[in-house]
Every structure is written in C-alpha cells, then in structure tokens.
C-alpha cells in the first residue's frame, strides 16, 4: 500500500473511531438522563469521549492519536468491568442492559477501528464491521426488551412492610415491630437495584420499573 492509499485508509477508519466515540459519549449522557442523577465518573467518561472524538477527527494523522484512542477505549471497558458484568447478567432491566451493551460494543469497535487504521487494513471492511456491531447491538437490546416485558411482579400481602427504592435511594430508616416480619420491595427507578441485609444474609435483585 502506497503512502497516499495508507493515509486514505487511516482517514476512513478514523471516521469509524469518531462515530464510535460519539456513541459512547451519548451513551454515558443517556445514563445520567435515565437515572436523573449527576454521577461524576459517568459524566467524566462522557466528556472524555466527546473530546476524544473531536481529537481523532481533527488530528488522526498524528502518530499518537489513534494508539491513544484504542487504549482509552479499552480502559473505559476495563474501568467499568464490574458494572458491565452486573448489567449484562440482567437483560430483564433494559435501562441498564441497553446502554451497557451499546457502550461496550462501541468501545470495542472504536479500539478495533483504531488498530485497523494503524495496521493499514483495507478500509472496505469498515462498513461491514460497523454494520455487524450495530446489528448485534440491535439484537441484544431487542432481547432485553422482550425479557423486560416478561418480568412478573409479586403481589403485596397484608402486613407487609413496604420498602420503596426511589431516585436511586432506599429509605434511611425502616421501623418494624419485634418478631417475624415480611418485607415488600418496590423499585420505582428504571434501573436495577439490589436490596441487601448483611446481618440476615439477604440479597434481592429488583428489576427496573417498566
């Protein structure tokens, strides 16, 4: 591949990287909108990839830009791995599963496209590659939507003490009479929560509200 063709291939793959990072930035912003909470690490990641998308678009010809893009995309996955694994294990909560799937696939596509640009891979492969990632994201989000619709709610029983998760918080204090008690857990948020009582070895998953 001559130098001119190499530069053109680099530019075309860089466009895929830019698109991937724009999607990542939008996904982090969507998480803030879904939760209606200002979560500093999520906001920081969103800003980083918005800025990085511009940097790749503007200066992709510089040697350090694409390697930096690939490394940061992979670091975003590694840094959020705990949350990614938890969300992917619960496809029945689309508000958590969907953004996580999109972010993960966009990060992998961005890292792969940056690597392809550096390796001089035929740019004709960029559209099939991007198309495959988009198709996979659509299928997985669709599966999550079906799983979410299949979630059944338990019925509240007389005498249950109701605990509601709302605005990403549980009540600070719950009062109950001495003796055996029954709790009814309700999640008003669209994201999944986990209710834990360490002393009683209780851990209950609560799908997001549909």
């Amino acid at each position: 591949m001559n130098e001119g063709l190499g530069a053109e291939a680099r530019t075309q793959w860089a466009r895929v990287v830019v698109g991937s990072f724009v999607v990542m930035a939008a996904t982090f912003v969507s998480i803030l909108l879904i939760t209606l909470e200002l979560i500093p690490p999520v906001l920081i990641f969103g800003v980083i990839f918005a800025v990085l998308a511009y940097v790749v678009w503007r200066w992709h010809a510089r040697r350090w830009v694409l390697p930096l893009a690939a490394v940061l995309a992979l670091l975003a996955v590694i840094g959020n791995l705990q949350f990614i694994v938890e969300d992917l294990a619960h496809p029945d909560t689309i508000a958590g599963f969907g953004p996580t799937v999109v972010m993960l696939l966009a990060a992998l596509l961005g890292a792969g496209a940056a690597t392809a640009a550096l390796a001089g891979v035929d740019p004709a492969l960029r559209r099939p590659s991007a198309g495959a990632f988009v198709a996979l994201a659509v299928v997985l989000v669709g599966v999550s939507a079906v799983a979410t619709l299949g979630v059944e709610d338990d019925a509240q029983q007389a005498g249950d003490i109701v605990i509601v998760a709302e605005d990403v918080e549980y009540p600070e204090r719950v009062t109950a009479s001495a003796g055996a008690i029954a709790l009814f857990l309700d999640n008003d948020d669209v994201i999944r929560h986990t209710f834990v009582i360490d002393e009683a070895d209780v851990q209950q998953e609560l799908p997001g509200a549909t």
Side-chain angles (χ1 to χ4, degrees):
M1 182 179 291
N2 61 43
E3 184 176 349
L5 290 177
E8 177 61 23
R10 188 185 185 97
T11 297
Q12 294 191 38
W13 279 113
R15 291 172 182 166
V16 178
V17 178
V18 171
S20 300
F21 289 170
V22 168
V23 170
M24 290 182 70
T27 302
F28 285 117
V29 171
S30 74
I31 293 173
L32 299 177
L33 295 176
I34 288 170
T35 60
L36 296 179
E37 289 285 325
L38 180 60
I39 308 172
V42 175
L43 178 61
I44 290 171
F45 272 113
V47 172
I48 287 174
F49 281 98
V51 171
L52 194 56
Y54 175 77
V55 170
V56 174
W57 173 73
R58 184 70 176 81
W59 294 295
H60 62 269
R62 299 189 179 183
R63 292 184 178 181
W64 57 271
V65 171
L66 289 173
L68 176 65
V71 169
L72 288 180
L74 294 177
L75 285 178
V77 174
I78 295 171
N80 290 280
L81 193 58
Q82 176 184 352
F83 306 104
I84 290 172
V85 171
E86 291 179 357
D87 285 336
L88 294 184
H90 296 85
D92 55 351
T93 304
I94 192 171
F97 183 87
T100 297
V101 164
V102 173
M103 186 278 292
L104 176 61
L105 292 179
L108 295 178
L109 177 60
T115 303
L118 293 169
V121 175
D122 186 351
L125 296 175
R126 75 191 192 285
R127 289 187 178 178
S129 300
F133 275 84
V134 170
L136 181 57
V138 170
V139 169
L140 291 176
V141 172
V143 169
S144 179
V146 172
T148 299
L149 293 174
V151 173
E152 296 183 359
D153 293 332
D154 290 334
Q156 182 179 345
Q157 303 297 319
D160 286 352
I161 297 174
V162 179
I163 298 178
V164 180
E166 187 175 13
D167 297 331
V168 201
E169 291 183 352
Y170 288 109
E172 292 185 2
R173 177 177 298 179
V174 176
T175 303
S177 301
I181 62 172
L183 302 178
F184 182 81
L185 308 175
D186 193 9
N187 183 8
D188 280 353
D189 293 327
V190 294
I191 59 174
R192 177 181 55 85
H193 291 307
T194 303
F195 180 80
V196 177
I197 303 177
D198 292 327
E199 295 80 0
D201 194 24
V202 171
Q203 180 168 319
Q204 179 64 49
E205 299 290 341
L206 302 176
T210 56

